[in-house]
């Protein structure tokens, strides 16, 4: 096969699969690695492909950036499921940063239903307009250059705003991700603002559906090592499951079961007669002897409330509901909301208040 004919075949493969691998091309065309690399170099100089580490990708794929409205109609079910999982990483009272994008748009909708105290920072005008927030949710919109195609704010002014803040978590979107090339976006100013966002967050959470796999755009803004948590859908290619599996604490793929109705509803626990439990913490316990109390805690108690606490540890959105009365009832509500659990209690006039007591000691 002549060189020009081989290049034409390589171009067909790039356009079909969006990327090619040097080793696979060597085997398919029965030529040396140096020959393939020379072909790819000449093709890049001719504007036919863009070379990457170990292969090449389509030029169209590198520069193409779909508009917000185009992205909004693709992968809707997957994005909604990812958003329902992502919201479980947020706690009442935190400050979170939402990158511009359609998946973060669905995450914002979930936030509006699940929290009473939250600060949201975003560079998306679409997100800031869409949120119909309760009084306790504060939205901070970064300034900057407005990119109408994707409804985002970028540039030096937006980056300067980020330098003045610190957030608990940043939820990041991406135009494409690749095992070797990392996370990329078509616009270099988008890449700049994304990098700055990640630096200002204690934890970085990538939310992206699997259709972005093997997509490489013009500007890289992160490597996989920069990501603390990756939430995606169950159609993620096997090579990503294998490649990212070593960092299992950072990788979460939604199973098909998790994408069903079990994630569509928030759990509500009901306690008809909640109490304030006085917990006496003993540094040590001597049976039959005198014991010194190290700490006295007042914690909300009751079967439904206890279940809500357990569900919260598994990051399940939960609301504690039931009947409360008087000053202690108010204390129960405030204590639960301070711990990040939503409440839906009904106050009953004249109901007796009660305090139950029990003893415990720390594990170990």
């Amino acid at each position: 096969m002549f060189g020009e004919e081989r290049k034409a075949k390589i171009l067909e493969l790039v356009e079909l699969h969006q990327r090619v691998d040097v080793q696979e091309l060597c085997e398919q065309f029965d030529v040396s690695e140096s020959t393939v690399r020379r072909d790819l170099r000449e093709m890049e100089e001719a504007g036919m492909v863009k070379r990457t580490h170990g292969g090449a990708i389509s030029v169209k794929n590198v520069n193409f950036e779909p508009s917000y409205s185009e992205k909004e109609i693709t992968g809707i079910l997957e994005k909604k499921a990812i958003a329902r999982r992502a919201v479980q990483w947020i706690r009442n009272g935190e400050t979170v940063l939402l990158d511009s994008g359609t998946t973060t748009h669905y995450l914002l909708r979930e936030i509006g239903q699940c929290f009473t105290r939250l600060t949201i920072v975003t560079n998306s005008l679409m997100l800031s307009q869409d949120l119909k927030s309760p009084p306790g949710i504060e939205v901070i919109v970064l300034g900057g250059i407005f990119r109408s195609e994707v409804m985002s704010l970028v540039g030096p002014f937006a980056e300067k705003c980020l330098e003045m803040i610190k957030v608990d978590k940043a939820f990041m979107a991406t135009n494409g991700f690749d095992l070797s090339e990392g996370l990329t976006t078509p616009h270099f100013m988008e890449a700049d603002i994304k990098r700055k966002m990640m630096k200002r967050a204690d934890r970085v959470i990538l939310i992206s559906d699997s259709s972005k796999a093997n997509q490489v755009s013009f500007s890289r803004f992160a490597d996989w090592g920069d990501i603390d948590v990756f939430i995606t859908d169950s159609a993620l290619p096997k090579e990503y499951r294998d490649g990212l599996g070593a960092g299992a604490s950072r990788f979460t793929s939604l199973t098909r079961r998790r994408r069903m109705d079990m994630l569509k509803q928030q759990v509500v626990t009901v306690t008809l007669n909640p109490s304030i439990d006085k917990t006496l913490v003993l540094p040590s316990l001597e049976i039959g002897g005198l014991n010194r109390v190290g700490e006295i805690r007042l914690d909300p108690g009751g079967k439904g409330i206890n279940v809500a606490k357990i569900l919260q540890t598994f990051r399940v959105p939960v609301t504690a509901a039931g009947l409360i009365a008087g000053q202690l009832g108010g204390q129960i509500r405030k204590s639960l909301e301070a711990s990040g659990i939503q409440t839906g209690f009904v106050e009953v006039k004249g109901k007796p208040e009660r305090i139950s007591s029990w003893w415990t000691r720390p594990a170990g």
Side-chain angles (χ1 to χ4, degrees), residues 28-39:
Q28 180 164 347
F29 298 112
D30 194 24
V31 294
S32 67
E33 184 175 320
S34 60
T35 298
V36 170
R37 292 190 182 279
R38 184 180 66 247
D39 287 347

Side-chain angles (χ1 to χ4, degrees), residues 47-339:
M48 301 167 67
V49 300
K50 176 177 173 57
R51 286 188 297 166
T52 65
H53 178 73
I57 60 175
S58 170
V59 173
K60 296 178 183 178
N61 192 38
V62 172
N63 297 316
F64 176 66
E65 183 176 24
S67 67
Y68 188 94
S69 58
E70 290 172 328
K71 292 188 288 185
E72 194 173 21
I73 61 175
T74 61
I76 295 176
L77 293 178
E78 288 78 8
K79 292 173 182 177
K80 287 183 176 180
I82 290 169
R84 288 193 293 269
R85 184 61 182 271
V87 78
Q88 297 173 27
W89 287 87
I90 303 174
R91 290 290 173 264
N92 229 25
E94 288 187 330
T95 298
V96 298
L97 196 156
L98 300 185
D99 189 11
S100 62
T102 51
T103 306
T104 51
H105 174 79
Y106 288 114
L107 174 57
L108 186 72
R109 293 183 180 180
E110 293 292 327
I111 287 174
Q113 301 174 19
C114 297
F115 298 97
T116 56
R117 291 187 302 107
L118 208 67
T119 300
I120 298 172
V121 182
T122 183
N123 72 323
S124 170
L125 281 189
M126 184 63 73
L127 266 62
S128 62
Q129 293 172 5
D130 187 68
L131 178 63
K132 297 177 178 60
S133 61
I137 295 185
E138 182 179 32
V139 181
I140 300 173
V141 182
L142 301 175
I145 300 170
F146 176 51
R147 300 191 64 230
S148 58
E149 303 90 346
V150 292
M151 299 294 289
S152 68
L153 294 161
V154 298
F157 190 82
E159 294 174 31
K160 192 68 176 178
C161 292
L162 284 170
E163 290 179 3
M164 296 185 289
I165 65 172
K166 185 70 173 176
V167 301
D168 295 297
K169 300 179 180 78
F171 291 86
M172 305 302 300
T174 183
N175 287 79
F177 58 83
D178 182 88
L179 279 178
S180 59
E181 296 297 323
L183 314 181
T184 55
T185 182
H187 200 280
F188 73 95
M189 293 183 78
E190 291 283 355
D192 288 341
I193 194 70
K194 288 175 184 288
R195 280 191 288 266
K196 182 70 72 173
M197 287 178 174
M198 294 168 62
K199 287 182 180 179
R200 305 309 298 163
D202 289 334
R203 174 171 285 180
V204 178
I205 301 174
L206 173 66
I207 52 176
S208 177
D209 64 272
S210 60
S211 69
K212 309 290 180 61
N214 299 325
Q215 302 286 328
V216 180
S217 295
F218 173 72
S219 184
R220 178 165 63 182
F221 65 89
D223 295 316
W224 288 108
D226 300 319
I227 304 300
D228 297 306
V229 179
F230 175 29
I231 303 176
T232 185
D233 59 81
S234 60
L236 190 73
K238 184 178 183 299
E239 61 266 26
Y240 285 85
R241 298 177 182 277
D242 295 341
L244 299 175
S249 61
R250 302 199 315 264
F251 173 58
T252 301
S253 176
L254 297 176
T255 65
R256 295 189 183 278
R257 188 168 70 91
R258 284 174 179 159
R259 292 167 57 193
M260 304 303 283
D261 289 344
M262 64 175 294
L263 281 181
K264 294 181 179 178
Q265 301 294 330
Q266 184 169 13
V267 176
V268 178
T269 65
V270 178
T271 307
L272 296 180
N273 191 21
S275 65
I276 292 291
D277 293 337
K278 181 185 293 183
T279 305
L280 309 178
V281 181
L282 309 179
S284 61
L285 179 62
E286 180 182 348
I287 305 299
L290 294 176
N291 295 277
R292 181 174 58 86
V293 175
E295 178 187 359
I296 300 177
R297 293 201 310 259
L298 296 178
D299 300 316
K303 291 181 179 178
I305 290 175
N306 293 336
V307 171
K309 293 177 181 177
I310 294 172
L311 291 174
Q312 187 197 35
T313 63
F314 290 98
R315 304 185 185 278
V316 175
V318 61
T319 296
L323 305 177
I324 58 174
Q327 184 177 358
L328 290 180
Q331 186 176 348
I332 290 171
R333 177 191 283 116
K334 290 180 181 179
S335 179
L336 288 171
E337 290 179 350
S339 66

Side-chain angles (χ1 to χ4, degrees), residues 346-357:
V346 175
E347 186 171 354
V348 180
K349 302 297 183 182
K351 183 178 182 295
E353 302 175 351
R354 67 187 180 99
I355 297 181
S356 58
S357 301

